[in-house]
């Protein structure tokens, strides 16, 4: 089992940047595929990015390409989400998620993940 703790959220003006972090406990962080999701007010949770166990493969929805970058540091048991050129529609609670798997893939669905953090609020003002 792994526990995930997100940080780095906050209030930012449109056009600004934020870097979210997700720290994981446990000894086998490198065995987990990691993902970031977000849940805007009144909407369902949606895929933002995912990264393979080694960090060699990353995936994004078409809408997020170019502005968001996911990365991980397995030595620090941490996954990051760098968000640039933020827009008011990026306002949401951002969650990191983990799945222990040997499979390779996008892992872009909520149901594919076993563990979730508590979320961190990102608010982008216009």
């Amino acid at each position: 089992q792994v526990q995930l703790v997100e940080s780095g959220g906050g209030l930012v003006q449109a056009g600004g940047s934020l870097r979210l972090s997700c720290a994981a406990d446990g000894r086998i962080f490198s065995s987990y595929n990691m993902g970031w999701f977000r849940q805007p007010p009144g909407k369902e949770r949606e895929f933002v990015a995912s990264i393979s166990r080694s960090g060699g493969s990353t995936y994004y929805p078409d809408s997020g390409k170019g502005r968001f970058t996911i990365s991980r540091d397995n030595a620090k048991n941490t996954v990051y989400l760098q968000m640039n050129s933020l827009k008011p529609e990026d306002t949401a609670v951002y969650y990191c998620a983990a799945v222990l798997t040997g499979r390779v893939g996008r892992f872009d669905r909520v149901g594919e993940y076993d563990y979730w953090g508590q979320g961190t609020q990102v608010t982008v003002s216009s």
Side-chain angles (χ1 to χ4, degrees), residues 2-57:
V2 63
Q3 291 189 333
L4 307 171
V5 179
E6 302 98 333
S7 61
L11 175 64
V12 63
Q13 289 188 333
S17 298
L18 282 175
R19 188 176 82 153
L20 306 184
S21 299
C22 173
D25 67 0
R27 303 176 187 174
I28 54 171
F29 177 71
S30 60
S31 296
Y32 289 86
N33 208 94
M34 301 298 295
W36 284 98
F37 289 75
R38 68 185 183 186
Q39 189 161 13
K43 297 184 178 181
E44 293 186 351
R45 199 166 295 189
E46 60 188 27
F47 173 66
V48 175
S50 67
I51 188 166
S52 63
R53 291 168 294 163
S54 68
S57 297

Side-chain angles (χ1 to χ4, degrees), residues 13-16 63 67 84-91 123-125:
Q13 289 188 333
S63 61
R67 296 194 300 124
N84 299 326
S85 303
L86 283 162
K87 306 174 182 179
E89 51 264 42
D90 294 318
T91 295
T123 303
V124 184
S125 63

Side-chain angles (χ1 to χ4, degrees), residues 1 5 9 12 40 44-45 51 53 55 62-63 68 70 76 78 81 91 95 99 107 117-118 121:
Q1 190 167 355
V5 179
V12 63
E44 293 186 351
R45 199 166 295 189
I51 188 166
R53 291 168 294 163
D62 290 340
S63 61
F68 293 178
I70 188 171
K76 296 182 178 180
T78 302
L81 183 68
T91 295
Y95 298 90
V99 55
F107 291 94
Q118 83 288 350
Q121 177 70 47

